[in-house]
């Protein structure tokens, strides 16, 4: 009877350890997905600002159907979620890259690229 109880205790400890490891893994995945969603939301907010600049006439301080001259607001360049920068600015499009401060694997951070054109906003998850 003593060996059977010892075996059940060891088996219980192993099951609890596996449950803890799975729980930590699930929490980490949820955390990364949550951070990625926040970066996407911030990029979409910046895309909205870029689109407003594009549509606003030059006489009112806008681009007059051009993205050239648009810059990221200083408070959005670095946020609690991560950093954002303009990768490329063209007359008919602008590319915004958001890099999260959450490390996914090794030294790779969360990265999201948003391309804004006169007709659409497209977001691609890089990492």
């Amino acid at each position: 009877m003593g060996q059977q109880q010892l075996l059940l205790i060891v088996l219980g400890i192993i099951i609890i350890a596996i449950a803890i490891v799975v729980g930590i893994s699930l929490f980490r995945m949820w955390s990364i997905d949550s951070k990625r969603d926040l970066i996407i939301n911030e990029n979409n907010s910046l895309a909205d600002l870029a689109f407003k600049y594009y549509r606003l006439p030059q006489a009112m301080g806008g681009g007059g159907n051009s993205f050239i001259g648009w810059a990221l607001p200083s408070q959005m360049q670095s946020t609690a979620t991560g950093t954002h920068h303009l990768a490329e600015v063209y007359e008919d499009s602008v590319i915004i890259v958001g890099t999260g401060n959450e490390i996914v694997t090794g030294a790779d951070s969360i990265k999201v690229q948003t391309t804004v054109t006169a007709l659409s906003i497209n977001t691609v998850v890089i990492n």
Side-chain angles (χ1 to χ4, degrees):
M1 188 78 166
Q3 283 183 335
Q4 202 174 27
Q5 289 174 344
L6 186 59
L7 184 62
L8 287 175
I9 289 173
V10 169
L11 184 61
I13 290 173
I14 291 172
I15 290 172
I16 290 171
I18 291 172
I20 289 172
V21 168
V22 169
I24 289 171
S25 172
L26 287 174
F27 178 77
R28 176 135 174 85
M29 287 180 1
W30 174 83
S31 174
I32 290 170
D33 286 343
S34 175
K35 191 70 76 157
R36 187 173 290 125
D37 289 344
L38 288 171
I39 293 288
I40 289 171
N41 285 338
E42 288 179 356
N43 269 14
N44 285 339
S45 295
L46 290 169
D48 187 45
L49 291 174
F51 189 73
K52 286 178 185 177
Y53 176 85
Y54 177 84
R55 286 291 186 201
L56 197 63
Q58 286 181 340
M60 298 177 73
N65 291 332
S66 173
F67 288 106
I68 294 176
W70 183 71
L72 290 176
S74 60
Q75 68 269 23
M76 290 296 287
Q77 290 177 359
S78 181
T79 64
T81 308
T83 59
H84 303 275
H85 71 278
L86 295 177
E88 298 173 16
V89 179
Y90 300 111
E91 187 172 332
D92 61 343
S93 67
V94 63
I95 298 174
I96 305 165
V97 176
T99 305
N101 51 15
E102 183 83 27
I103 303 297
V104 178
T105 56
D108 291 337
S109 296
I110 296 169
K111 234 179 214 183
V112 176
Q113 176 179 311
T114 302
T115 304
V116 185
T117 65
L119 302 175
S120 67
I121 298 172
N122 296 317
T123 300
V124 177
V125 175
I126 298 171
N127 237 357

